[in-house]
Amino acid sequence: MKSFVVFALCVVAALAAPPTSNDRDAQILKYENDNIGIGPYGYAVETSNGIQAQENGQLKNVGSENEALEVRGQFSYTGPDGVVYTVTYVADENGFQASGAHLPQPPQ
């Protein structure tokens, strides 16, 4: 379920910018999916309009009380201002933690 939420967040972020004619005509250049329904998984996608996303997930602490799914990934897209925005994230038992040069940072 967490991987679905993370994937959904990636899609929402990538689609947040208003579509241009280039976005509507985008083609999938790369699609890799390594997921047989059990064990670790991974995927990567790249489109002709510059959107890229990749993610890997695996169960950690298997068989213990602290068993948790850990997901790591990143996505990038070109904003309306022409800047390429990249978000790197980890989603695990500590929640969703995203980082990117354009994202506000918590006080230290």
Side-chain angles (χ1 to χ4, degrees):
M1 181 63 173
K2 283 185 183 180
S3 61
F4 174 76
V5 171
V6 172
F7 179 72
L9 287 172
C10 292
V11 171
V12 168
L15 298 176
T20 64
S21 62
N22 187 32
D23 291 334
R24 285 188 217 113
D25 298 331
Q27 301 292 313
I28 296 172
L29 302 177
K30 171 184 166 184
Y31 178 74
E32 297 174 1
N33 185 22
D34 181 16
N35 184 355
I36 61 170
I38 58 172
Y41 75 91
Y43 77 85
V45 65
E46 181 179 342
T47 62
S48 60
N49 61 345
I51 295 173
Q52 296 180 352
Q54 60 188 38
E55 181 177 289
N56 294 294
Q58 65 181 3
L59 199 56
K60 64 182 205 176
N61 302 320
V62 178
S64 75
E65 286 185 22
N66 299 323
E67 186 172 274
L69 179 63
E70 180 179 76
V71 176
R72 295 181 176 274
Q74 77 172 40
F75 61 92
S76 62
Y77 62 95
T78 304
D81 55 3
V83 174
V84 175
Y85 293 95
T86 300
V87 176
T88 302
Y89 59 88
V90 175
D92 58 15
E93 68 275 10
N94 299 313
F96 181 77
Q97 305 127 58
S99 62
H102 64 291
L103 297 177
Q105 298 300 309
Q108 304 227 0

